Amino acid sequence: MNKYMSPYKYRIHLYVTFKDLFPEEPEINVKDILSHYSRKSLINVALALDTYYGEGEFEKCIHFFSERNKGQYQEIMRRFHVFKSQSIYPNTDFFFCSFISGLELLRYTYSMPEKISDDESYSKFEWDLFRAILQINQQTICKFHAVEGIKKYELIYLNNLCYVDLGKDLKELAIQQYVYAYHFFKYLESSNIQNKNLLNAFETHYGTSWKRYVLTLISARTISIGHAGRLKKTLECDIDNLMEKSVYDHMILDTSKEMKYASSSKEDREGNSDYRYFRESPVIDDGDSYILYSSPLFLGKAYNSLYFDLPKINKEIPEKKNRVGSIKDLITTDFVQNTLLYRYVKESSHSGYEMYTEARMEALYDKKENELGAPDLVLISHRHAILFECKDIRLNGWVKEQKNYNLIIQELKEKILGAGRDDHKGVGQLTGHLQNIRNNNFHWASIGSGKKVYPVLVLSDPNVNQEGLNGIIWNSYLKSLKNKTIRRLAANRPLIVMTPMTLIKHAKRFRQKGFAYYFEMYNRYMAKNRQYELSFEHYMNSYRFDRQDLITKYKGTT
């Protein structure tokens, strides 16, 4: 069943701020408030936010206040209902915290000297911390309101990028991390000697096999929920022997040094911008227990953090000749494009397609200077062709942290949108290939100038493909077609945006009815409802996906 058969009503995900509830007061200084409380107390609040609230709907804040402080809760709700009644935003869901809230509390905490005891009463502690969370919300919203002429899609994307960059569906995140990690490590096992050396160094570093490493991370989240995010170091709760203690021991946050709250620029690697120290070490040593203080970051160690962890491990290999030349190329090109994308496109394709990989196309034609290179992948049937461009992009952590519309849009232009003379990135690559096909100048495979062509942009990171981005990409695509004076033929099909997770989850569906069937279903929905904030990925998420099928497929592989 597909719920998008009727128009999907997008709801804004809005976090209530200090100014919303306390408009009569000046903004508060978060550091000043936190300086009155011990590091242990603040860690406990951060852990509670992650374990019990996550994406905390505002009404859930009743559980934030203890029974003796219900008067404080009632005052908060009174102020909330006044604010809500005056809100100018329709179709809005209101939240008081997110997975980012706890991380921000810790980020402030570890940027200050350690405090051992609390100065204030427990009653004042709850009131102060709740107000501090509201102030944090205010400081983490995107500064879109200061930009004139901002459009619907940018508003929706920035709204999502600010708050759900870490991932709001932990089950979905766990599946993505597990599948990506499984295929990445299997690739290292079966490739060249340098990659195998890297794998051996990785396993030596963590004191266990990669299979046990991944299993520890994925199972720990489920087990820790029943223990309020704390696991005894004996791991006695692990009755099925799923976890390895050495994995936790190598992820413990170094609390001996004061961490600079933020980096001063894109190049500064000393500050804790984008939670770089927390991403590296998502475990706190609490004497006889491990504290898993951020579920998204802990799960992200399975795959997302490899981009930052592997360069350090690679340097542990004694001789340079035995090391991987470029970890970035290993992940972005060798794995994401040449392994993950190819594997799942092949698994999702029926027998009517002929596949042209980049290597196959480059063997057919030698690219000349200033010519557009081969697509990452092409599928050709007797009725149509599908062009794939895969982008393993990561928005710069410092840029994301600025929550500034102009900086974020510029980052997107540099990595996937292109602009003006620099129109040769993701979107521009696809329109460039379309232009060459229509002009009988596409050398990489035989595609007739009048053949129906589906351009597909694959973004490897699902967190980049938030709702709203598709509308930004769609406008860029139309502008690029116009700038290249490409004839507006019905054979030029609308741009498709997805991640490998779409292929992974719906491989069987695509194999049975073909990519084009679902592309056209999506296009018809868009033509009727014009909801371009929704990518093909979001549309396909409305089809039933049985997680158990995927679990069964990989059961016993780790």
Side-chain angles (χ1 to χ4, degrees):
M1 180 179 176
N2 187 331
K3 68 180 179 182
Y4 287 151
M5 288 302 139
S6 57
Y8 170 67
K9 293 183 179 179
Y10 180 78
R11 297 188 65 81
I12 292 176
H13 200 87
L14 194 68
Y15 286 82
V16 179
T17 70
F18 184 82
K19 188 178 293 185
D20 294 332
L21 296 198
F22 297 91
E24 77 281 6
E25 295 188 32
E27 291 186 20
I28 57 178
N29 186 299
V30 175
K31 263 194 172 183
D32 285 349
I33 291 176
L34 301 188
S35 67
H36 293 287
Y37 300 103
S38 69
R39 180 173 288 180
K40 183 176 181 179
S41 294
L42 297 176
I43 288 173
N44 287 338
V45 173
L47 184 59
L49 291 176
D50 180 80
T51 305
Y52 299 121
Y53 299 104
E55 298 296 299
E57 294 89 346
F58 200 87
E59 288 73 12
K60 283 185 179 180
C61 73
I62 186 174
H63 303 296
F64 187 88
F65 295 94
S66 58
E67 193 63 36
R68 59 187 168 182
N69 288 335
K70 289 307 179 192
Q72 294 180 357
Y73 165 72
Q74 290 166 359
E75 173 62 12
I76 290 292
M77 290 307 296
R78 182 190 69 78
R79 289 174 175 268
F80 172 64
H81 288 305
V82 170
F83 159 70
K84 189 176 179 181
S85 68
Q86 299 171 350
S87 175
I88 62 173
Y89 300 106
N91 302 321
T92 300
D93 294 322
F94 296 95
F95 295 77
F96 84 93
C97 72
S98 71
F99 285 112
I100 289 176
S101 304
L103 284 173
E104 277 296 305
L105 280 179
L106 290 179
R107 194 172 169 210
Y108 277 110
T109 300
Y110 283 107
S111 69
M112 302 185 296
E114 183 174 3
K115 188 173 177 59
I116 304 301
S117 60
D118 298 333
D119 295 338
E120 306 289 352
S121 66
Y122 191 77
S123 175
K124 192 165 191 310
F125 172 71
E126 290 182 345
W127 181 254
D128 280 352
L129 265 292
F130 193 85
R131 282 160 57 92
I133 291 168
L134 296 180
Q135 183 63 43
I136 285 171
N137 290 344
Q138 190 156 314
Q139 293 169 189
T140 53
I141 62 172
C142 288
K143 298 179 177 67
F144 55 76
H145 56 274
V147 181
E148 292 185 8
I150 188 169
K151 298 175 184 177
K152 170 185 175 183
Y153 307 129
E154 283 90 340
L155 176 68
I156 293 174
Y157 184 60
L158 294 175
N159 176 264
N160 278 295
L161 190 66
C162 285
Y163 299 119
V164 298
D165 173 51
L166 294 178
K168 57 185 177 183
D169 186 336
L170 291 181
K171 290 182 179 178
E172 190 80 4
L173 176 63
I175 289 173
Q176 183 249 333
Q177 291 297 294
Y178 181 84
V179 174
Y180 279 35
Y182 171 80
H183 288 298
F184 178 74
F185 288 116
K186 292 295 284 185
Y187 169 71
L188 293 186
E189 277 187 336
S190 61
S191 51
N192 62 43
I193 188 63
Q194 285 79 16
N195 290 348
K196 290 178 180 178
N197 290 340
L198 179 64
L199 179 59
N200 290 335
F202 178 90
E203 293 182 330
T204 300
H205 180 85
Y206 283 103
T208 189
S209 70
W210 71 262
K211 293 181 179 181
R212 294 289 292 175
Y213 171 85
V214 173
L215 193 59
T216 296
L217 295 172
I218 301 302
S219 58
R221 161 62 190 172
T222 303
I223 294 173
S224 68
I225 291 174
H227 298 268
R230 295 173 182 269
L231 296 177
K232 291 290 185 182
K233 284 186 177 178
T234 58
L235 299 182
E236 59 195 48
C237 58
D238 182 19
I239 58 176
D240 294 319
N241 190 32
L242 300 173
M243 300 187 291
E244 289 286 348
K245 188 177 184 299
S246 61
V247 174
Y248 294 100
D249 291 337
H250 281 84
M251 294 184 181
I252 291 175
L253 186 67
D254 180 3
T255 59
S256 63
K257 62 180 180 181
E258 193 175 310
M259 304 172 196
K260 190 169 78 170
Y261 175 79
S263 303
S264 56
S265 68
K266 288 174 69 172
E267 293 73 28
D268 181 6
R269 295 293 181 266
E270 297 303 315
N272 200 10
S273 283
D274 201 31
Y275 315 112
R276 61 185 299 267
Y277 293 125
F278 299 154
R279 290 179 189 273
E280 182 178 323
S281 307
V283 178
I284 292 175
D285 185 341
D286 191 37
D288 63 349
S289 299
Y290 297 116
I291 297 177
L292 279 55
Y293 60 87
S294 173
S295 299
L297 296 191
F298 188 79
L299 287 170
K301 289 293 286 186
Y303 176 79
N304 284 348
S305 289
L306 296 179
Y307 194 85
F308 307 102
D309 295 345
L310 290 182
K312 300 173 186 176
I313 293 175
N314 194 39
K315 290 180 181 178
E316 295 174 6
I317 300 172
E319 295 186 45
K320 190 173 182 179
K321 67 179 182 179
N322 294 325
R323 300 172 188 166
V324 172
S326 168
I327 297 296
K328 182 177 183 295
D329 289 345
L330 168 68
I331 295 176
T332 300
T333 304
D334 299 343
F335 172 64
V336 172
Q337 176 185 315
N338 296 342
T339 304
L340 193 67
L341 176 66
Y342 291 176
R343 175 191 175 93
Y344 276 98
V345 168
K346 186 175 182 179
E347 191 171 310
S348 302
S349 303
H350 56 66
S351 58
Y353 287 113
E354 184 171 4
M355 178 185 288
Y356 288 79
T357 63
E358 185 176 36
R360 179 183 177 184
M361 288 183 279
E362 289 176 344
L364 294 174
Y365 178 76
D366 291 325
K367 173 183 170 297
K368 296 180 175 58
E369 189 176 354
N370 297 324
E371 279 189 333
L372 186 64
D376 290 334
L377 185 66
V378 174
L379 293 181
I380 302 177
S381 73
H382 68 284
R383 290 185 175 180
H384 60 263
I386 305 175
L387 307 179
F388 292 89
E389 285 292 349
C390 182
K391 296 297 170 189
D392 185 33
I393 71 162
R394 289 167 175 78
L395 296 180
N396 180 273
W398 183 85
V399 168
K400 284 190 296 182
E401 188 169 272
Q402 305 313 300
K403 309 299 181 186
N404 185 292
Y405 166 81
N406 290 322
L407 287 176
I408 291 172
I409 292 299
Q410 183 58 38
E411 187 87 352
L412 290 174
K413 285 181 178 178
E414 290 175 3
K415 295 186 174 180
I416 55 175
L417 299 179
R421 295 181 179 179
D422 198 30
D423 186 20
H424 59 269
K425 306 290 173 68
V427 173
Q429 286 173 286
L430 288 166
T431 56
H433 294 313
L434 266 176
Q435 182 183 43
N436 288 337
I437 289 170
R438 300 307 172 213
N439 293 338
N440 286 312
N441 198 32
F442 187 78
H443 304 292
W444 309 106
S446 180
I447 304 176
S449 62
K451 202 179 195 73
K452 186 183 292 186
V453 176
Y454 295 95
V456 179
L457 181 63
V458 181
L459 303 174
S460 69
D461 185 357
N463 283 334
V464 173
N465 187 30
Q466 301 287 352
E467 291 177 359
L469 179 64
N470 187 74
I472 299 172
I473 291 176
W474 174 250
N475 286 333
S476 178
Y477 175 68
L478 294 179
K479 187 179 294 185
S480 184
L481 287 174
K482 183 178 180 180
N483 290 343
K484 292 183 169 109
T485 62
I486 300 173
R487 290 176 294 158
R488 299 193 65 175
L489 301 173
N492 297 334
R493 305 311 293 149
L495 180 65
I496 297 293
V497 179
M498 64 170 146
T499 76
M501 285 304 294
T502 304
L503 299 170
I504 291 166
K505 292 193 293 186
H506 302 289
K508 183 177 179 181
R509 197 169 263 121
F510 292 138
R511 193 164 56 248
Q512 289 175 341
K513 292 192 175 181
F515 289 114
Y517 172 83
Y518 289 99
F519 290 168
E520 291 301 339
M521 290 287 287
Y522 169 69
N523 291 336
R524 282 197 287 272
Y525 173 82
M526 286 297 161
K528 180 180 179 181
N529 298 294
R530 307 189 70 79
Q531 292 183 298
Y532 294 106
E533 64 268 24
L534 301 175
S535 70
F536 179 71
E537 171 118 338
H538 300 119
Y539 173 80
M540 289 305 298
N541 282 343
S542 66
Y543 284 91
R544 181 179 177 274
F545 162 59
D546 190 343
R547 287 187 173 96
Q548 192 58 45
D549 284 350
L550 197 64
I551 292 171
T552 301
K553 178 179 178 179
Y554 288 97
K555 190 173 182 179
T557 58
T558 52

